Amino acid sequence: MIAYQSIIDDIAKTSRKVANKGVVASYIPELAVNNIDKFGIHLVDANNNNYSTGDALDSFSIQSISKVLTLALSFSLVGDDLWKRIDVEPSGDPFNHLSLLEFENGIPRNPFINAGAIVIADILVSHLKNPKEDFLNFIQELTNDTTIQYNEKVALSEKNTGFRNYAAANLLKSYGNLHNDVDTVLDFYFHQCSLEMNCKQLANAFFIFMNHGKCQRGKSYLNINQVKRINALMLTCGFYDEAGEFAFEVGLPGKSGVGGGIVALLPNTYCVATWSPGLNPKGNSKLGMAALEELTTKTKQSIF
Ligand code: GLN
């Protein structure tokens, strides 16, 4: 039995002492209000034992972490047809870069760069009756928690400043890889990014990727093959041009967001979420990455 509680408590203690905590994202003005000193970890194991430390129950903007959840829902709805519109290769580029999109004729490199997530949002807008409401219901069902909501202020703040996302959506549209209106798809995308969750809710939402597609209550959302593919994408593309570094340091599939959250998982064993709003230059949580490196080193557990 691994002493997860004392390990994460120790990690939180070390993290609080670090002087350079990174920089809070400010390109979405509403995120700039985040307190750099916040730090939380929540780990849920395969037997539903929960371990928390620090600010694990404070809600924050999940941002790009939502891309894994929209991928899961769209994959369950359309199956492998998804891969006709999105590739599965790491981009080696920052999350908002557009050059490869033009070079590769409007097929985004993977579902986690913004262009790929916008195509996934388009698929959900096409397939769901009330896209924003249905996606929120999916998250509330996965976590068994109806308190989870969008943050309208964050969604609006991103809408007002999301020029690169408008550029990506328009480029996709010009290649015929966006079937709905640019504004409708981006409204969905900005809302999915604005979801507010805490570390505990995030770790619980990602339980399906650790548990063969089944949530904590045993309901199945994805088949084993789909879970394999989503975890492979998290490992190779979850941290954009820092995916190699995350695999090298941490050795788990995971996903980051510019709100400072990271979720990672060890199949059949645990899901863990960290939150520290200070980002490194690649847009990933500085202390979150360090914390997860320490976790896999101290527990001597990783997928390798
Ligand atoms: N909503 C953010 C954006 O589109 C998400 C980016 C991220 O979390 N990496 O820029």
Side-chain angles (χ1 to χ4, degrees):
M1 187 74 185
I2 293 177
Y4 289 122
Q5 188 62 52
S6 68
I7 291 175
I8 63 173
D9 284 341
D10 280 353
I11 295 172
K13 226 184 270 168
T14 342
S15 298
R16 287 193 194 283
K17 289 190 207 132
V18 176
N20 179 357
K21 295 183 159 72
V23 182
V24 174
S26 58
Y27 76 99
I28 301 174
E30 204 49 47
L31 293 184
V33 301
N34 264 332
N35 176 353
I36 187 100
D37 292 321
K38 291 284 183 182
F39 184 90
I41 307 181
H42 188 90
L43 186 150
V44 57
D45 73 13
N47 299 317
N48 276 323
N49 296 309
N50 284 268
Y51 307 90
S52 265
T53 197
D55 304 306
L57 298 182
D58 282 23
S59 291
F60 57 92
S61 196
I62 73 167
Q63 292 297 318
S64 284
I65 297 172
S66 66
K67 294 170 180 172
V68 189
L69 301 166
T70 53
L71 172 64
L73 184 56
S74 59
F75 204 6
S76 74
L77 290 171
V78 306
D80 285 324
D81 279 350
L82 208 62
W83 313 119
K84 292 181 186 151
R85 297 180 58 187
I86 304 166
D87 207 345
V88 294
E89 293 297 336
S91 68
D93 272 346
F95 59 84
N96 56 4
H97 266 215
L98 301 174
S99 45
L100 276 174
L101 186 60
E102 172 138 52
F103 193 65
E104 291 169 356
N105 300 319
I107 303 292
R109 270 274 162 129
N110 65 64
F112 297 149
I113 54 169
N114 287 7
I118 291 169
V119 171
I120 297 282
D122 184 49
I123 291 170
L124 289 180
V125 167
S126 294
H127 282 81
L128 299 175
K129 214 160 160 209
N130 302 299
K132 286 189 279 187
E133 205 181 310
D134 295 352
F135 177 61
L136 184 61
N137 286 339
F138 170 65
I139 303 298
Q140 292 183 341
E141 199 184 291
L142 274 186
T143 50
N144 198 20
D145 189 335
T146 52
T147 64
I148 297 170
Q149 296 295 334
Y150 298 119
N151 181 326
E152 294 294 340
K153 265 167 103 178
V154 171
L156 184 64
S157 180
E158 189 168 359
K159 182 179 178 184
N160 291 335
T161 54
F163 307 111
R164 296 192 74 90
N165 287 323
Y166 277 95
N170 279 295
L171 205 50
L172 289 164
K173 189 87 184 161
S174 78
Y175 282 108
N177 201 7
L178 200 83
H179 299 168
N180 298 282
D181 284 349
V182 165
D183 284 324
T184 311
V185 176
L186 286 183
D187 180 59
F188 180 87
Y189 173 75
F190 296 144
H191 276 84
Q192 71 171 76
C193 290
S194 82
L195 267 180
E196 300 231 306
M197 292 170 75
N198 61 37
C199 291
K200 183 174 186 191
Q201 291 163 334
L202 274 173
N204 287 323
F206 273 59
F207 199 90
I208 54 170
F209 307 117
M210 178 262 280
N211 189 41
H212 311 283
K214 289 195 182 120
C215 76
Q216 282 160 320
R217 283 164 296 137
K219 181 170 171 190
S220 190
Y221 289 88
L222 298 163
N223 66 40
I224 288 175
N225 198 36
Q226 291 171 326
V227 170
K228 174 183 78 178
R229 298 205 189 295
I230 294 176
N231 281 328
L233 285 164
M234 279 197 260
L235 184 73
T236 53
C237 313
F239 296 79
Y240 320 108
D241 47 338
E242 207 170 27
E245 177 78 9
F246 191 82
F248 182 79
E249 297 286 348
V250 180
L252 299 176
K255 185 73 203 79
S256 62
V258 290
I262 298 181
V263 191
L265 61 108
L266 183 60
N268 306 314
T269 312
Y270 68 69
C271 282
V272 61
T274 60
W275 181 46
S276 172
L279 308 181
N280 66 20
K282 308 256 173 169
N284 298 314
S285 169
K286 183 171 184 280
L287 295 188
M289 279 187 71
L292 291 170
E293 187 276 326
E294 219 177 312
L295 178 70
T296 52
T297 301
K298 286 194 163 150
T299 55
K300 299 189 173 65
Q301 290 179 308
S302 85
I303 61 166
F304 304 110

